[in-house]
Amino acid sequence: MDKRVQVFALAGISGVAGSYALAGYTRQFIAAPIDAVVVRSTPGPIVAWMITNVGDAGHLLHIALSMGIAGVLLGTTAVLGQFVGAKLDRWFLAPGVAGVLAWALTVAITTEPVRSLGAALPVALFTVIGSGSLSTADHDPSRRRALGSIQSAIGFVVVAGGAGWIKTNSDTETADEEPASDPSSPVTRRLEEANTQSLDLAADNVPGLVSSIGEFYNVDIAEFDPEIADDDWSMGLTGEVETEFSVTFEELTDRPTEHRYVTLRCVGESLNGRKLDTAVWTGTPIKPLLEEADPEGDCDCAMLRAEDGYFVQFPVEALEDAFLAWEMNGRPLPKSHGHPVRVLVPGHWGETNVKWLTEIELLDEAMDGYWEQRGWHGTGPVNTVAKLWDDTRLDDGRIEVAGHAYAGTRGIERVEVSTDGGASWTDATLSAPLPGEDVWRQWRHVYEPTGDHEVVVRAIDGEGDRQPRDQSDSFPSGATGWVSKAISA
């Protein structure tokens, strides 16, 4: 391998690893800001194709691309350092120049001067190794030296990876389960209420009526979540209003508090996917804040903006029923779910319930939100769906099929089950509806099988409308259609 190519590769790889060692898997990691640019620069049709065809693995692809870009940039600083050393015939200058360039580049990307040393120092180190080899270019290249350089790089990457993993996991939220709290607290009563109203299911794969924090699905536009301390957070109400003002976290949490069951469903999930969950959220209504601001825009609409650059437009009318949440199942809102404050707008797709909310801008004319700009549906109501999540053979030979059904604020009136491919239908047993306007229900049906057969399920919402039969992909308006499964007797 050409020595310059070798140094370019080893410096780039070790520089990325060094950044990870000091920053962990956070927004201070050199790949994080690059990832944000990659995500925002990807054309809408490609985003839609990746979501519908690749799914969650798409995140891994753009992270790999972002790390590759970071490696190329850092490797280039090593080559530039070598060039300066050769040009001046002062090889000892090469690692210093490369290290300074790598540090300056990483600071420019991450704005973290101290943590940027994690990338700069290994770049300088492997420029030293390469420069020593290049300065003896007239001699026979040493394969042993090349092998030693590669082995050193591999060792460094392994050690840096371990350090980064420790750093990441030491900062990771540990509040995955519900707290042991006062039995008389409103959240505890809500959690117990959900447990008592859950159906007694033989199925292992159907969650209860409240999802644990650790199991609640999570989707974001980028891989790295914002980190905002409670004391640093504020939300502005701006734009076409009588009075612009902002509210701090302390001021917000001093407002009248509510504890709501709210279900969220991902617009990008497959028809029978698992990105549908419910939690008990603690927060305060938005409507009094809107009344204080006194909206004046002609379009009666607002843009909600987040710390991570995400933005969604809503009609003001929809926001009047919305909710600013700072707790989830009795715990402070986890970082991955929008700490310290997110919005919950009843009956709308999960993606529109903005995390890390920092601004509500009242508009004079309508504007497209983040996903609308990429060809997706927007802020309309969620589609009605009955999920078929499990089939279990009971001890007496019968089969239990079960799942959840959800229709946003329309509610679920019935779930119908067919065990003969849609020729005939039977009403399933439903869990009692949880208090609230935007919640799911469990369903189950037990029957005697008569050979191989197809089970089909469909829901009827609270307005009497049946879940559409024809299936469609998630793009652009969310997956629809009856859910079916072939079962062997």
Side-chain angles (χ1 to χ4, degrees):
M1 180 188 296
D2 181 88
K3 286 292 182 180
R4 289 181 176 83
V5 174
Q6 177 184 315
V7 172
F8 170 83
L10 297 184
I13 293 170
S14 61
V16 172
S19 176
Y20 177 68
L22 283 194
Y25 203 69
T26 68
R27 298 184 103 196
Q28 290 76 48
F29 177 36
I30 188 172
I34 297 172
D35 177 64
V37 173
V38 169
V39 169
R40 287 166 178 75
S41 302
T42 304
I46 295 178
V47 173
W49 187 91
M50 292 291 290
I51 290 173
T52 55
N53 293 280
V54 180
D56 292 341
H59 274 296
L60 299 177
L61 293 176
H62 66 69
I63 285 297
L65 175 60
S66 302
M67 293 176 65
I69 293 171
V72 168
L73 293 173
L74 292 173
T76 300
T77 63
V79 173
L80 290 174
Q82 291 179 333
F83 175 79
V84 171
K87 197 73 173 174
L88 299 177
D89 197 22
R90 297 289 189 273
W91 286 104
F92 62 87
L93 294 176
V97 171
V100 169
L101 289 175
W103 178 82
L105 173 68
T106 309
V107 170
I109 293 173
T110 66
T111 68
E112 290 283 333
V114 175
R115 287 178 173 153
S116 293
L117 293 172
L121 293 177
V123 168
L125 171 64
F126 283 96
T127 305
V128 168
I129 296 172
S131 297
S133 300
L134 288 168
S135 63
T136 58
D138 291 337
H139 301 284
D140 183 44
S142 171
R143 294 180 61 188
R144 181 175 298 176
R145 177 177 293 180
L147 181 59
S149 299
I150 295 172
Q151 290 174 335
S152 298
I154 292 173
F156 177 82
V157 169
V158 170
V159 172
W165 184 88
I166 293 171
K167 168 67 177 174
T168 300
N169 284 273
S170 67
D171 293 340
T172 297
E173 301 145 341
T174 58
D176 284 343
E177 299 303 324
E178 282 62 55
S181 57
D182 181 356
S184 64
S185 74
V187 173
T188 300
R189 291 200 301 271
R190 290 270 178 167
L191 295 171
E192 291 176 348
E193 177 184 44
N195 286 335
T196 60
Q197 293 186 196
S198 294
L199 295 175
D200 184 14
L201 300 174
D204 295 328
N205 293 326
V206 178
L209 289 175
V210 171
S211 308
S212 70
I213 294 174
E215 294 176 346
F216 203 105
Y217 86 88
N218 188 41
V219 175
D220 302 309
I221 60 173
E223 185 72 10
F224 300 89
D225 298 331
E227 300 175 20
I228 311 172
D230 294 352
D231 293 342
D232 294 334
W233 180 87
S234 66
M235 182 191 70
L237 283 93
T238 65
E240 300 297 326
V241 295
E242 176 67 25
T243 305
E244 288 194 354
F245 68 96
S246 64
V247 58
T248 66
F249 185 78
E250 183 178 4
E251 292 169 341
L252 186 72
T253 54
D254 280 342
R255 289 176 171 265
T257 300
E258 298 180 10
H259 309 280
R260 297 186 185 180
Y261 296 108
V262 178
T263 300
L264 296 178
R265 182 189 176 197
C266 176
V267 71
E269 72 158 354
S270 61
L271 180 58
N272 199 36
R274 291 275 181 163
K275 294 179 180 177
L276 173 69
D277 284 293
T278 299
V280 177
W281 309 85
T282 299
T284 193
I286 288 182
K287 187 174 181 179
L289 290 166
L290 292 173
E291 291 173 343
E292 290 178 34
D294 191 12
E296 296 181 337
D298 290 340
C299 74
D300 291 323
C301 56
M303 189 69 78
L304 277 58
R305 303 186 186 278
E307 178 69 19
D308 66 343
Y310 186 58
F311 52 96
V312 176
Q313 180 195 269
F314 276 107
V316 171
E317 182 180 8
L319 292 180
E320 289 178 349
D321 296 322
F323 185 64
L324 295 174
W326 57 79
E327 285 187 4
M328 182 180 185
N329 289 353
R331 288 194 179 274
L333 199 63
K335 180 177 69 173
S336 59
H337 287 284
H339 184 272
V341 177
R342 72 174 299 168
V343 69
L344 297 167
V345 185
H348 292 74
W349 292 103
E351 276 69 12
T352 65
N353 292 260
V354 178
K355 304 176 185 179
W356 312 291
L357 183 66
T358 58
E359 182 183 14
I360 300 176
E361 179 189 6
L362 281 299
L363 303 176
D364 195 42
E365 60 182 31
M367 299 169 60
D368 285 340
Y370 179 93
W371 286 113
E372 291 168 306
Q373 290 181 0
R374 288 155 177 80
W376 287 78
H377 172 261
T379 56
V382 296
N383 299 331
T384 300
V385 66
K387 305 278 193 174
L388 174 51
W389 278 347
D390 199 85
D391 61 279
T392 302
R393 177 79 61 172
L394 304 180
D395 292 340
D396 60 9
R398 295 183 300 164
I399 292 177
E400 176 196 78
V401 287
H404 281 265
Y406 176 59
T409 55
R410 300 182 300 280
I412 293 294
E413 183 65 28
R414 302 200 320 274
V415 170
E416 296 177 330
V417 182
S418 172
T419 59
D420 53 15
S424 62
W425 297 87
T426 303
D427 283 353
T429 301
L430 290 178
S431 62
L434 293 170
E437 61 174 339
D438 187 17
V439 291
W440 62 4
R441 296 178 76 174
Q442 286 177 322
W443 67 267
R444 76 185 289 260
H445 178 64
V446 178
Y447 64 97
E448 189 79 40
T450 55
D452 295 347
H453 58 285
E454 181 184 23
V455 175
V456 187
V457 295
R458 64 190 186 189
I460 293 86
D461 68 23
E463 298 175 356
D465 294 325
R466 181 172 285 117
Q467 179 178 338
R469 176 173 187 167
D470 294 339
Q471 293 188 355
S472 69
D473 291 332
S474 59
F475 181 80
S477 302
T480 59
W482 295 354
V483 175
S484 64
K485 184 175 184 180
I487 297 178
S488 299

